Amino acid sequence: MNVPPRYLDRATAVSLLAVQGFNTLDIECILDLTGPILRQGAPVWPAAAVERLAARAWWLAPAELGIAMPEAA
């Protein structure tokens, strides 16, 4: 079974990151690095990419965003 990817609009992505403690510059950086892509004419960000990049912030515990962070090699 294939699960379709989830996408976040800008307001949702900003809210998700702000709640986690990111400041506006950090949020813009994450959004720049993870997208956007156009879906039905609107810019959206892949939720998995936003969550994965945000999980790498040193002040967050890996479980806070609901994803596991891979161990360092």
Side-chain angles (χ1 to χ4, degrees), residues 1 12 21 23-24 26 36-37 45 52 62 65 68:
M1 183 173 168
T12 303
N23 65 38
T24 55
D26 294 334
I37 61 170
W45 287 259
R52 185 171 184 215
L65 288 173

Side-chain angles (χ1 to χ4, degrees), residues 17-73:
L17 295 168
V19 166
Q20 297 301 324
F22 288 92
N23 65 38
T24 55
L25 294 175
D26 294 334
I27 291 170
E28 289 304 317
C29 182
I30 289 173
L31 295 180
D32 285 347
L33 291 171
T34 58
I37 61 170
L38 289 179
R39 295 208 23 121
Q40 300 175 347
V44 293
W45 287 259
V50 171
E51 291 168 351
R52 185 171 184 215
L53 187 57
R56 287 168 168 33
W58 62 267
W59 66 88
L60 295 176
E64 287 188 53
L65 288 173
I67 60 174
M69 192 163 67
E71 294 294 322

